[in-house]
Amino acid sequence: MIYLDNAATTLKKPPGVARAMVKALESAGNPSRGAHEPSLAASRLVYDTRIKLAELLKTDDPARIAFTYNSTDSLNMAIKGTLKKGDHVITTETEHNSVLRPLYETEKAGVELTIIKADKKGLWDVGELEKAIKPNTRAAVINHSSNVTGNTVDLAKISEITKKHGILLIVDGSQSVGSFPVDVNAADIFCFTGHKGLMGPQGVGGIYVREGVDLSPLRTGGSGIHSRDKVHPQEMPDALEAGTLNVHGIAGLNAALDFILNTEDIYEKKANLADEFCRRICDIKGLTVYGDIYGKSRSAVISVNIEGLPSDILCDRLWTEYNICTRAGLHCAPLMHKALGTLEWGVVRFSFSYFNTSEEVKAAAKALGDLAREAAK
Amino acid sequence: MREKKLYAIFTFSRTVDAMAAEKICTEEKVPGRLIPLPTAISAQCGLAWRTEPEYRELCQSKILKYDSIYSLKM
């Protein structure tokens, strides 16, 4: 089997991830809930993982990072915790439903929503962001790297605009973290997950919240501290970590971070595989590659269609005839597909991981070539 | 009956600060350990760093963020 659906979730995890999870299952107590060894061991594990995430994301203060379930959870916290009736928020057509659906909900609750259009390549003009800002604009919610095209925005440039106008920059880093170096200091709130580029287990994600940003928690409850207070702790990270954390998942993420932080070609290898795939398929007759494939900043995601083959059929034939796992359809990004002109048929997405090989890339490219030739007959 | 001893107790408003205190003190080989927040200080949950009185100042210089320091017989 060749697994090329790593933008959905990475299948092959670094050595040590499963072992760390089993060890935690057998030894970790409830973190922040006691001073006996199992509880302290869990608390140390959680703290150590925070430190490693802070190193990866280039922030000095690990306490600004809270653990969540995944990016969707983090984005819901960010969007619903900052916007209120009468606010204006700006986003783009490149967004995933994990941004769009919470925004549509806030729109129903009286938040004004502006969606910046993307062009046929799925790119949008940063100048449009500044033009869209109004006196009541509270935030911009921006996709760092598209889960459909892999194209990536310049966060520093966007941050200059949001800072200049005093609005919050909320970033969806689902596809960027683990794909290339990320500096969260450009963002006010940065949302990410642990199971994609970070190669950890599903069920653990995170949210970075810059000091001074006022974010009301979606969930309140047990915190292990200040138990007599009627109000949930307001300080990060406790403010966003009500209830028992997924320590077993965090243990897996910790091991994955060890691998990422100690592997020199962690970003380069994946990018090279995507480039090689692109080179091998770009001349196939009848095949369309979407997005700005020669763009400088991109993650290891390549989406294609073959003329005459709906994306679901192409994806299913890749699986049943070639044992290649890809993802068909709209990838939870309907507005992006509208911009690309693929709303009816969708596209087939190939997404690479550090653990893929050049041989797998060649096999996938050959399969596409064969299917395109057959479709053209 | 266990004889009570005097300790210096550092309290924290967040678990993350307690864990940071334990990490730095362990790395710097400063004696002490995390204990449940003594009810004599507050009837709340949480962790506190307990050390011998002679290490109070050393801990104070190493621990970046704490709420208060108490002298407590326990």
Side-chain angles (χ1 to χ4, degrees):
Chain A
M1 182 181 79
I2 298 175
Y3 186 84
L4 300 177
D5 196 14
N6 294 287
T9 196
T10 41
L11 187 67
K12 187 169 167 51
K13 308 297 184 187
V17 170
R19 271 199 309 277
M21 292 181 76
V22 170
K23 189 181 167 199
L25 276 165
E26 291 171 344
S27 62
N30 197 331
S32 310
R33 303 297 193 274
H36 52 70
E37 187 53 30
S39 178
L40 285 179
S43 298
R44 288 181 198 120
L45 187 59
V46 169
Y47 183 59
D48 188 55
T49 312
R50 253 190 253 284
I51 291 174
K52 284 171 185 164
L53 279 171
E55 182 185 343
L56 186 78
L57 301 176
K58 301 183 174 66
T59 175
D60 294 334
D61 187 357
R64 304 309 308 173
I65 298 169
F67 289 103
T68 64
Y69 304 141
N70 46 43
S71 288
T72 298
D73 192 32
S74 306
L75 285 159
N76 270 270
M77 286 182 185
I79 290 167
K80 294 171 185 172
T82 55
L83 299 173
K84 60 182 190 307
K85 191 178 176 182
D87 286 342
H88 172 235
V89 60
I90 304 164
T91 193
T92 77
E93 285 189 332
T94 69
E95 307 305 318
H96 189 275
N97 273 339
S98 55
V99 165
L100 294 173
R101 286 175 173 167
L103 283 177
Y104 294 145
E105 277 181 56
T106 59
E107 192 179 25
K108 274 189 180 170
V111 171
E112 198 184 341
L113 173 63
T114 298
I115 303 176
I116 297 171
K117 289 205 171 304
D119 64 19
K120 285 178 186 168
K121 283 187 174 175
L123 305 175
W124 60 278
D125 178 5
V126 174
E128 293 299 313
L129 173 63
E130 192 153 27
K131 282 188 208 162
I133 294 172
K134 303 200 276 191
N136 63 333
T137 305
R138 169 85 174 125
V141 190
I142 303 294
N143 184 354
H144 195 186
S145 185
S146 168
N147 68 317
V148 181
T149 63
N151 290 135
T152 300
V153 297
D154 182 349
L155 274 193
K157 201 170 164 187
I158 292 169
S159 172
E160 275 176 31
I161 296 169
T162 53
K163 280 193 170 77
K164 180 176 151 191
H165 292 273
I167 66 170
L168 294 176
L169 176 56
I170 299 170
V171 177
D172 173 6
S174 304
Q175 298 293 339
S176 59
V177 173
S179 289
F180 44 81
V182 169
D183 184 343
V184 293
N185 292 296
D188 296 293
I189 302 175
F190 191 97
C191 305
F192 60 97
T193 192
H195 69 101
K196 296 179 190 278
L198 289 183
M199 300 189 285
Q202 295 172 4
V204 180
I207 183 168
Y208 159 83
V209 182
R210 181 179 59 72
E211 193 162 13
V213 172
D214 186 19
L215 179 57
S216 308
L218 283 190
R219 290 187 288 271
T220 56
S223 60
I225 52 166
H226 306 299
S227 295
R228 209 165 44 184
D229 299 354
K230 285 187 174 174
V231 178
H232 190 79
Q234 303 288 298
E235 282 187 275
M236 281 287 286
D238 304 292
L240 302 182
E241 290 182 348
T244 299
L245 290 173
N246 176 2
V247 173
H248 311 120
I250 290 170
L253 180 60
N254 189 302
L257 287 164
D258 274 340
F259 182 82
I260 288 172
L261 291 167
N262 293 295
T263 303
E264 207 169 298
D265 63 344
I266 192 75
Y267 302 125
E268 197 186 352
K269 186 181 168 192
K270 196 157 76 157
N272 287 344
L273 290 171
D275 283 350
E276 183 190 342
F277 183 64
C278 220
R279 278 198 311 277
R280 288 184 180 276
I281 64 167
C282 62
D283 292 331
I284 294 175
K285 209 175 163 190
L287 183 135
T288 305
V289 184
Y290 294 93
D292 182 13
I293 56 170
Y294 301 110
K296 274 191 295 181
S297 325
R298 47 176 306 118
S299 60
V301 169
I302 312 273
S303 286
V304 306
N305 262 330
I306 288 176
E307 205 178 332
L309 274 183
S311 71
D312 60 305
I313 302 289
L314 174 56
C315 178
D316 198 45
R317 289 193 66 183
L318 284 165
W319 169 237
T320 54
E321 295 171 32
Y322 297 89
N323 232 6
I324 297 173
C325 306
T326 59
R327 168 99 185 267
L330 300 183
H331 314 93
C332 303
L335 301 184
M336 181 60 147
H337 279 278
K338 192 176 155 206
L340 296 172
T342 54
L343 197 57
E344 294 302 314
W345 277 30
V347 299
V348 176
R349 182 182 69 186
F350 293 76
S351 48
F352 300 88
S353 137
Y354 179 83
F355 291 110
N356 285 126
T357 64
S358 184
E359 286 66 37
E360 290 177 326
V361 165
K362 279 178 204 148
K366 185 178 177 306
L368 276 182
D370 291 350
L371 289 166
R373 268 190 300 279
E374 191 193 308
K377 280 179 189 169
Chain B
M1 192 178 158
R2 190 166 63 100
E3 196 184 335
K4 287 187 176 181
K5 276 176 66 183
L6 189 67
Y7 292 99
I9 309 288
F10 289 70
T11 63
F12 308 93
S13 62
R14 308 181 300 177
T15 304
V16 70
D17 298 322
M19 300 321 295
E22 186 198 49
K23 186 172 193 292
I24 188 72
C25 289
T26 305
E27 283 169 2
E28 303 277 333
K29 297 186 169 46
V30 183
R33 71 178 179 95
L34 288 171
I35 60 167
L37 180 66
T39 47
I41 292 172
S42 171
Q44 303 254 34
C45 295
L47 297 168
W49 178 255
R50 187 182 85 171
T51 191
E52 312 286 333
E54 60 264 39
Y55 297 113
R56 178 187 172 123
E57 280 179 20
L58 186 57
C59 284
Q60 207 173 345
S61 69
K62 301 288 180 195
I63 297 173
L64 289 177
K65 203 167 177 184
Y66 58 86
D67 272 2
S68 305
I69 311 172
Y70 297 85
S71 292
L72 196 67
K73 259 192 165 179
M74 56 190 302

